[in-house]
Amino acid sequence: MQQHLESLEKNLTEGLFLPVDAVKWLLDLFHAFQIFDDFADNDAVDRKDLNLLIWNTLVGMQQNPFYTANAYCLSSIVGLNILKWQASDTVERSGNADAKSYVWRAGYYDIVLAVVQLCHGPVFAAQNAHIVLGLYGETYDNYMKEFKNA
């Protein structure tokens, strides 16, 4: 996960020109989503990652200056994406994973695009949305293999 976080940070900073606090919040959110997903899948969670998750979700992310300035918008978007992840997870656990559950599972990148729009406006966001789309690292084929091998 560390290598992916470093690549994501570089893209958010150098490719999308997001401010430091926005990047920090997005990286903390990505880490949280990954650890919550691992926990839900009964995958091993390192104690260091769990401790970081506890701190970031209960204290750090809420005190992030970018988040506090935009909480009115971001909390709704995060909430929506949690609901989408839960729906995708329900479909996956019932053995019905498909293209729709794959798309809904990738909601984190909706949040990234919303942050780009908040920081740079809708024109910049529209012109660079393809960069955000390119950040999603899991292919549909690999996603489906995960369920065929389960």
Side-chain angles (χ1 to χ4, degrees):
M1 178 169 39
Q2 186 59 38
Q3 186 177 10
H4 185 75
L5 281 171
E6 290 170 4
S7 174
L8 184 58
E9 180 177 17
K10 182 176 181 176
N11 281 292
L12 296 173
T13 304
E14 297 175 15
L16 296 167
F17 310 104
L18 293 177
V20 172
D21 290 333
V23 171
K24 171 78 170 116
W25 184 79
L26 284 168
L27 294 175
D28 288 347
L29 185 65
F30 182 86
H31 179 264
F33 281 173
Q34 290 300 119
I35 300 304
F36 284 135
D37 186 63
D38 287 348
F39 185 79
D41 292 341
N42 292 317
D43 294 338
V45 174
D46 182 76
R47 187 61 188 208
K48 181 184 76 147
D49 284 330
L50 178 61
N51 289 341
L52 186 61
L53 172 71
I54 293 167
W55 179 263
N56 283 343
T57 56
L58 296 176
V59 179
M61 291 173 65
Q62 296 175 34
Q63 293 179 347
N64 178 293
F66 173 77
Y67 180 78
T68 58
N70 296 284
Y72 66 94
C73 178
L74 294 172
S75 62
S76 296
I77 295 169
V78 171
L80 175 67
N81 279 277
I82 291 169
L83 296 172
K84 288 172 66 177
W85 178 86
Q86 289 171 335
S88 177
D89 189 62
T90 298
V91 168
E92 293 164 2
R93 290 182 188 281
S94 69
N96 295 311
D98 61 10
K100 293 179 283 189
S101 60
Y102 169 75
V103 170
W104 271 34
R105 185 171 198 72
Y108 171 79
Y109 299 95
D110 295 345
I111 299 169
V112 172
L113 187 57
V115 169
V116 171
Q117 187 270 323
L118 285 169
C119 291
H120 300 301
V123 172
F124 182 92
Q127 292 170 343
N128 292 277
H130 67 284
I131 295 171
V132 176
L133 179 62
L135 295 176
Y136 191 50
E138 183 177 36
T139 66
Y140 176 67
D141 289 340
N142 286 343
Y143 170 78
M144 291 306 295
K145 284 179 190 171
E146 181 180 333
F147 299 101
K148 289 179 181 156
N149 296 330

